[in-house]
């Protein structure tokens, strides 16, 4: 048996834990492992190499991915689907494990429908994949963001400022919610709940009345806010470009908010955009363990011929679900969870 694996989309802490687990488990069965480089691009260009026990030694604690990654979408390339299928045959692959988020797994889902033997592993710091309670990488990103919020707290208090911290998450507010609650944010803005500027200012004024002369506001990059209640709020974008999966590049809402808040309230306000800092570095213990469990489960899925399925965490169990269920819509912040967070918005 010869199995290929690839990592696609944004890099993510815990990817190497998954790769290591796949290789180690496969070797237990005497299988051969092929690491495909740079996501779907590697299978299109046939860039791949053999992975043995030495190739995955010492990688568990490393961030990023030893295989490299890309946002290549074979379905945006002429005859892309056939090229992937043909190249996998040429490489002698009996199965492929695709480790990625909605885009990488979206491709895997389409390929699976043609009968291509692929299984998925859910990766993303955004935690927005359906059917799994958590994706690996999320815990590390949240802890990094929480650390940053803790540090920014001291400046906010000392200088009596409003501090806006922008976190990633694309169209889901999970990173903002978890890091905001853990970091004691006074307000959390997420894509799932539009907030009026007046409400935000009211929170700050109420704090001022209670003698709290600073505010910590965590904002997800995909949140929207409108200065006037008459205008429709819009995403803040870094530029107008779309990637191969049609995604815009979000980012910059913290700067916009800081400017508006300072102008409207007179309170000195600063913005910090955490950006890729929250995606890099060594994975937490939680992500190392989750990634390892997903990797082992993916190999078991291949062994059992469970193609077109993705490893998932349900409670404390690792199960598997159709990839289709994971990618058909985003997993967004629930009303219940938002209600919990609102307790602390003051
Ligand atoms: O999906 C992970 C993520 O980090 C998002 O939170 C963010 O919007 C996007 O990727 C950034 O992508 P890039 O690294 O291509 O700028």
């Amino acid at each position: 048996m010869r199995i290929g694996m690839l990592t696609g989309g944004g890099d993510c802490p815990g990817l190497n834990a998954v790769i290591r687990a796949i290789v180690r488990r496969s070797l237990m069965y005497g299988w051969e492992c092929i690491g495909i480089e740079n996501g779907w691009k590697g299978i299109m260009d046939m860039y791949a190499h053999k992975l043995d026990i030495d190739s995955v030694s010492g990688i568990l604690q490393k961030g990023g991915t030893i295989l490299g990654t890309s946002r290549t979408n074979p379905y945006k390339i002429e005859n892309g689907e056939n090229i992937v299928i043909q190249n996998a045959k040429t490489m002698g692959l009996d199965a492929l494990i695709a480790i990625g988020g909605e885009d990488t797994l979206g491709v895997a889902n389409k390929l699976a429908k043609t009968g291509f033997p692929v299984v998925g592993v859910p990766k993303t710091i955004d935690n927005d994949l359906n059917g799994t309670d958590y994706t690996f990488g999320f815990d590390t990103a949240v802890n990094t963001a929480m650390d940053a919020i803790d540090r920014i707290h001291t400046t906010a208090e000392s200088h009596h400022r409003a501090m806006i911290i922008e976190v990633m998450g694309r169209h889901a507010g999970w990173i903002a919610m978890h890091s905001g609650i853990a970091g004691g944010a006074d307000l959390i803005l997420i894509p799932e709940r539009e907030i009026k500027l007046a409400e935000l200012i009211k929170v700050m004024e109420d704090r001022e009345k209670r003698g709290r002369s600073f505010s910590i506001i965590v904002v997800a990059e995909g949140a929207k806010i409108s200065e006037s209640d008459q205008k429709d709020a819009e995403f803040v974008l870094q530029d107008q470009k779309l990637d191969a999966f049609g995604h815009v590049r979000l980012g910059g809402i913290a700067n916009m908010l800081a400017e508006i808040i300072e102008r409207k309230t007179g309170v000195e306000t600063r913005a910090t955009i955490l950006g890729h800092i929250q995606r890099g570095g060594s994975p937490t213990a939680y992500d190392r363990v989750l990634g390892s469990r997903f990797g082992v489960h993916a190999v078991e899925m291949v062994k059992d011929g469970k193609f077109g399925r993705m490893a998932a965490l349900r409670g404390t169990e690792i199960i598997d679900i159709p990839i289709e269920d994971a990618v058909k819509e985003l997993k967004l912040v629930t009303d219940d969870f938002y209600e919990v967070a609102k307790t602390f918005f003051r």
Side-chain angles (χ1 to χ4, degrees):
M1 184 87 155
R2 194 171 218 230
I3 60 169
M5 70 199 80
L6 61 81
T7 56
D11 71 330
C12 179
L15 277 166
N16 290 325
V18 181
I19 296 167
R20 173 176 173 267
I22 296 171
V23 172
R24 292 273 191 133
R25 191 69 169 192
S26 299
L27 293 178
M28 269 175 58
Y29 296 128
W31 297 354
E32 199 184 351
C33 287
I34 303 296
I36 292 154
E37 293 164 30
N38 303 324
W40 295 113
K41 185 174 187 334
I43 205 157
M44 304 284 300
D45 299 345
M46 293 232 272
Y47 281 138
H49 59 273
K50 204 176 149 185
L51 293 173
D52 58 18
I53 193 143
D54 290 334
S55 348
V56 294
S57 133
I59 67 169
L60 178 63
Q61 62 276 34
K62 288 194 179 138
T65 160
I66 60 160
L67 294 179
T69 187
S70 73
R71 294 199 188 277
T72 299
N73 181 357
Y75 286 93
K76 279 280 147 76
I77 295 167
E78 201 184 330
N79 205 26
E81 181 181 271
N82 287 333
I83 297 173
V84 170
I85 295 169
Q86 199 43 57
N87 288 357
K89 269 197 197 127
T90 310
M91 289 192 259
L93 301 182
D94 298 299
L96 177 71
I97 300 177
I99 312 161
E102 51 157 336
D103 299 331
T104 306
L105 296 179
V107 171
N109 185 41
K110 286 186 188 155
L111 286 167
K113 289 194 190 311
T114 70
F116 187 80
V118 59
V119 303
V121 173
K123 166 238 72 163
T124 169
I125 62 162
D126 303 339
N127 197 37
D128 58 357
L129 272 172
N130 250 310
T132 184
D133 291 350
Y134 290 103
T135 51
F136 73 84
F138 172 66
D139 185 66
T140 308
V142 166
N143 276 288
T144 304
M146 180 194 73
D147 261 10
I149 297 166
D150 286 350
R151 287 167 193 275
I152 285 169
H153 235 115
T154 58
T155 303
E157 273 193 82
S158 308
H159 287 262
H160 316 288
R161 286 176 179 164
M163 302 293 275
I164 323 282
I165 301 114
E166 178 177 317
V167 298
M168 282 184 166
R170 222 171 234 159
H171 299 295
W174 293 109
I175 300 178
M177 292 293 286
H178 280 249
S179 63
I181 293 173
D186 305 308
L187 193 60
I188 305 171
L189 308 181
I190 57 171
E192 293 88 338
R193 299 280 177 291
E194 239 172 74
I195 233 178
K196 303 237 182 326
L197 189 61
E199 292 174 63
L200 185 155
I201 290 174
K202 170 125 189 1
V203 170
M204 288 179 62
E205 284 169 354
D206 288 350
R207 286 179 58 75
E208 182 77 47
K209 281 185 204 141
R210 285 177 19 242
R212 311 299 282 156
S213 62
F214 70 94
S215 295
I216 298 285
I217 299 168
V218 172
V219 59
E221 62 180 358
K224 292 178 185 172
I225 191 149
S226 158
E227 195 173 341
S228 114
D229 292 348
Q230 274 79 51
K231 266 201 277 166
D232 277 347
E234 284 178 8
F235 291 127
V236 180
L237 305 180
Q238 291 188 42
D239 54 43
Q240 298 304 313
K241 285 189 226 130
L242 297 181
D243 70 14
F245 291 90
H247 298 297
V248 290
R249 281 184 68 203
L250 296 164
I253 187 170
N255 290 330
M256 191 188 100
L257 256 182
E259 190 275 316
I260 299 175
I261 290 173
E262 194 163 298
R263 181 159 38 83
K264 296 255 179 199
T265 64
V267 174
E268 199 178 15
T269 307
R270 294 283 191 276
T272 305
I273 301 177
L274 294 185
H276 293 84
I277 288 170
Q278 68 212 286
R279 218 167 75 188
S282 189
T284 57
Y286 183 87
D287 281 336
R288 294 182 200 191
V289 174
L290 185 60
S292 301
R293 293 181 77 196
F294 279 156
V296 167
H297 195 84
V299 173
E300 294 304 309
M301 284 155 67
V302 171
K303 187 164 158 277
D304 297 340
K306 290 178 162 183
F307 298 120
R309 297 181 71 80
M310 180 191 87
L313 178 72
R314 197 63 63 75
T316 56
E317 299 293 306
I318 305 290
I319 57 159
D320 45 78
I321 58 163
I323 299 178
E324 174 100 60
D325 292 354
V327 298
K328 66 179 176 220
E329 57 185 3
L330 289 181
K331 181 181 74 185
L332 298 174
V333 170
T334 57
D335 290 344
D336 286 356
F337 193 38
Y338 190 72
E339 278 307 310
V340 171
K342 268 172 75 177
T343 314
F344 308 103
F345 293 175
R346 57 190 63 233

